[in-house]
Amino acid sequence: TLPTSLTAVGQVQALQQVLVRPQIEGVLTEVLFKEGQPVTRGQVLARLDDRALRAQVDQAQAEVQHLKARLQIAQLDLKRYEGLASQAAVPVQQRDQQVALVAQLQAQVQSQQASLEAARVQLSYATITSPVAGRAGLRQVDVGNLVRPSDANGLVTVVQTQPVAVLFSVPQGRLGEVRQALRQKGP
């Protein structure tokens, strides 16, 4: 048995190469990677100033609590009105208005909870993580810079290093040998 050998010029390419950009505009407060260092998927690479975003989350949370308290009072009033309406002590119209008020407050609570969740999502964008495992490239910005999602250079490029692809050309006359070798060794 003789080994099959073929010399060819090839090129190693990463299967994934990602330009990491912020999803929101903000001032870069921390850079948590070094150029050339291996990074894992989900690893925090940088942080933006998030004070205003935290305040928005706190404000939305307070508004949800305020609306829930109003809803609780309205529901208690509704129970009272239902009891009084069954005894004909209050007009049915007043009970119906309270039913509508409870429904309105329930909708407001749902709406404000959605706003709270949107504020939390915006806050999460202040922490920039690596979308793939690989190696960090050159840092494109320093702490203190205002960064935007539209910045052409982004913050850093992360290149996947395992696995990689090797591309090479083989003369057409030797293609049969390559196919035969692949069949013998498997893919």
Side-chain angles (χ1 to χ4, degrees), residues 74-92:
Q75 288 171 330
L76 291 172
D77 286 347
L78 177 60
K79 283 183 184 178
R80 285 186 202 107
Y81 286 141
E82 284 175 341
L84 293 172
S86 67
Q87 298 170 6
V90 296
V92 176

Side-chain angles (χ1 to χ4, degrees), residues 16 18-20 39-43 45 128-133 158:
Q16 292 186 21
V18 180
L19 178 60
V20 179
V39 296
T40 58
R41 181 182 182 156
Q43 178 179 336
L45 299 177
I128 302 165
T129 59
S130 177
V132 296
V158 177

Side-chain angles (χ1 to χ4, degrees), residues 27-49:
V27 175
L28 193 62
T29 57
E30 284 184 278
V31 174
L32 302 167
F33 69 92
K34 290 186 174 120
E35 295 172 345
Q37 109 179 37
V39 296
T40 58
R41 181 182 182 156
Q43 178 179 336
V44 177
L45 299 177
R47 285 196 171 90
L48 302 177
D49 183 4

Side-chain angles (χ1 to χ4, degrees), residues 4-184:
T4 304
S5 172
L6 176 66
T7 303
V9 176
Q11 179 179 359
V12 178
Q13 286 188 338
L15 293 181
Q16 292 186 21
Q17 181 173 330
V18 180
L19 178 60
V20 179
R21 290 186 177 131
Q23 289 184 287
I24 59 172
E25 182 177 305
V27 175
L28 193 62
T29 57
E30 284 184 278
V31 174
L32 302 167
F33 69 92
K34 290 186 174 120
E35 295 172 345
Q37 109 179 37
V39 296
T40 58
R41 181 182 182 156
Q43 178 179 336
V44 177
L45 299 177
R47 285 196 171 90
L48 302 177
D49 183 4
D50 62 357
R51 292 174 295 178
L53 296 170
R54 286 187 189 283
Q56 287 175 2
V57 168
D58 291 345
Q59 183 180 8
Q61 210 163 15
E63 184 62 25
V64 166
Q65 290 171 348
H66 171 75
L67 288 171
K68 282 183 177 181
R70 285 185 57 203
L71 175 61
Q72 186 177 15
I73 290 169
Q75 288 171 330
L76 291 172
D77 286 347
L78 177 60
K79 283 183 184 178
R80 285 186 202 107
Y81 286 141
E82 284 175 341
L84 293 172
S86 67
Q87 298 170 6
V90 296
V92 176
Q93 179 184 6
Q94 195 170 1
R95 184 203 60 201
D96 292 346
Q97 287 174 342
Q98 194 63 30
V99 168
L101 178 62
V102 167
Q104 178 185 13
L105 287 172
Q106 286 173 334
Q108 287 177 351
V109 167
Q110 285 180 331
S111 173
Q112 192 58 42
Q113 283 176 329
S115 296
L116 173 60
E117 189 56 33
R120 285 182 176 150
V121 168
Q122 288 296 310
L123 177 61
S124 74
Y125 293 156
T127 302
I128 302 165
T129 59
S130 177
V132 296
R135 191 163 297 276
L138 296 175
R139 185 180 72 234
Q140 300 296 323
V141 292
D142 294 317
V143 170
N145 281 302
L146 178 68
V147 293
R148 295 179 177 93
S150 61
D151 290 344
N153 293 334
L155 301 176
V156 65
T157 299
V158 177
V159 179
Q160 181 182 353
T161 55
Q162 290 185 358
V164 294
V166 178
L167 303 173
F168 58 93
S169 298
V170 178
Q172 189 172 357
R174 309 268 325 253
L175 188 58
E177 295 173 45
V178 172
R179 284 187 176 155
Q180 183 178 358
L182 285 174
R183 273 189 242 118
Q184 290 174 356

